[in-house]
Amino acid sequence: MMTGTDTIKQQAPGAGATGTGQAKAALQVFAGGTCYGAMATTYKLAYAAGFTSAQVVASQAWFGCLFFVLAALAGRALGHHWQRVGWKLTLKLMGLGALTCLTSILYCYAISVLPAPVALTLLFQFTWLGLVWQTVMTRQPPRPLQVLSALVIVFGTVLASSVYKTGIAGYDPVTLLYALGAAVSCSLFVTLSGRVKAPCSSEQRGVIVCMGSVVMSLTVCPDYVVSGVLAQGILPFAVIAGFFGLLCPVLLFGVGSPHLPAGLSTVMAAAELPAGLLIAMIVLGEPLGAVEWLGVAIILTGVCLAQVPSLLGGREARRAAAGQAVS
């Protein structure tokens, strides 16, 4: 697989942990969350075209893997070599893929049964669940500003998703648990993406991650390849789902999240909802009222709040460096 300066590389552990480096990593995770924003609209369009949630999930897994394989083969054709990855690390990376596919399985089912605002609001509990995983893994409580940021984002989600109008009472409890399960698996994927590091290129890492996603997709759609669903017109949805639902997030989370606290990674991934609402407004014509726009603004405010410590740290580091230069 591609190595050295000829390919996209995994950043060294700890690189850019503060200041501008952390801000760059946060933007990468933010962009990964934004890519997820295209998924709700893609799912709705695929359902309207007559495809099932299982077929959409399998499409996302198979085409995401295909894109990574093509990137890896392009590097191979240029003479780059693959790195040897041990079986233990391979299983860990495949586990990441299984987690992101599980999120799609649970969320796709939930959004096919529940109103979209309810499913979205429950999914977005991953913003504070990331703080829970951070506390468990580091045995240190999150910073007060991180907690405040997560609370602000959850509050903004309630407004932006319009769930304040409908509430969640009266819906099937099992389906609600599916949506909450998607939040748990999503938060674990974002959190563990920063902890499972591989001594190989992002393309090779992505192939292994997506192999786990493909294996998990077989649990809901084992006959995807031979079912003829591609000839039935699912290809456009498969391409979009594979690109925005796997290729881009796996790349961006894999590069950015190792340099962020787990709680901050999940907070930055909250960009999914504002992006999803804007895409739904443009593509599906779903209107956004004043309250929904306020919710979007509150979510973005919460994301900015989470970045205050790293920005202040970067400013202090620059001042210290300037002082050393003068002395």
Side-chain angles (χ1 to χ4, degrees):
M1 188 61 65
M2 296 180 264
T3 58
T5 59
D6 298 316
T7 186
I8 304 171
K9 299 181 291 185
Q10 301 285 58
Q11 296 178 359
T18 60
T20 57
Q22 190 178 72
K24 179 180 178 181
L27 285 174
Q28 290 166 337
V29 175
F30 185 87
T34 301
C35 291
Y36 276 141
M39 299 317 301
T41 296
T42 303
Y43 295 157
K44 290 180 181 180
L45 292 174
Y47 297 156
F51 300 106
T52 67
S53 61
Q55 291 170 333
V56 175
V57 167
S59 296
Q60 182 173 323
W62 281 94
F63 275 79
C65 192
L66 174 62
F67 288 142
F68 272 114
V69 168
L70 291 175
L73 290 176
R76 186 75 174 180
L78 294 173
H80 305 137
H81 299 287
W82 296 359
Q83 295 294 317
R84 179 172 296 180
V85 178
W87 66 269
K88 289 185 179 180
L89 181 55
T90 297
L91 290 178
K92 289 180 180 179
L93 292 172
M94 290 182 67
L96 285 179
L99 276 175
T100 190
C101 186
L102 178 61
T103 301
S104 296
I105 292 171
L106 297 173
Y107 180 59
C108 275
Y109 176 75
I111 205 171
S112 68
V113 176
L114 297 172
V118 174
L120 271 172
T121 300
L122 293 175
L123 172 66
F124 266 72
Q125 303 311 302
F126 77 78
T127 52
W128 63 264
L129 283 170
L131 297 176
V132 174
W133 303 132
Q134 175 181 314
T135 302
V136 170
M137 293 175 182
T138 64
R139 298 183 181 178
Q140 294 179 350
R143 294 178 178 179
L145 198 58
Q146 287 180 316
V147 176
L148 176 61
S149 175
L151 292 175
V152 169
I153 289 172
V154 170
F155 176 67
T157 301
V158 172
L159 298 180
S161 65
S162 302
V163 79
Y164 67 93
K165 297 178 181 177
T166 62
I168 61 173
Y171 297 110
D172 178 20
V174 175
T175 309
L176 295 177
L177 287 175
Y178 268 74
L180 285 174
V184 173
S185 59
C186 181
S187 65
L188 279 171
F189 168 72
V190 177
T191 298
L192 295 176
S193 288
R195 299 179 70 89
V196 182
K197 302 179 180 68
C200 60
S201 70
S202 292
E203 293 90 343
Q204 182 178 355
R205 181 183 186 276
V207 170
I208 300 172
V209 169
C210 289
M211 284 171 54
S213 189
V214 167
V215 171
M216 178 59 74
S217 74
L218 295 176
T219 62
V220 293
C221 193
D223 63 341
Y224 177 78
V225 175
V226 298
S227 65
V229 68
L230 290 174
Q232 297 169 14
I234 203 173
L235 182 60
F237 308 113
V239 170
I240 295 172
F243 186 82
F244 289 104
L246 264 186
L247 177 68
C248 293
V250 168
L251 278 175
L252 292 166
F253 288 146
V255 172
S257 58
H259 310 297
L260 299 174
L264 180 56
S265 293
T266 52
V267 166
M268 296 306 298
E272 175 183 351
L273 181 57
L277 292 174
L278 289 174
I279 292 172
M281 182 183 69
I282 295 170
V283 177
L284 302 178
E286 296 183 357
L288 287 181
V291 175
E292 286 74 20
W293 279 113
L294 175 62
V296 170
I298 291 173
I299 291 172
L300 295 177
T301 299
V303 170
C304 293
L305 275 176
Q307 279 300 297
V308 170
S310 63
L311 294 175
L312 292 177
R315 183 178 298 176
E316 292 174 359
R318 288 191 295 271
R319 286 177 178 175
Q324 291 177 358
V326 171
S327 61

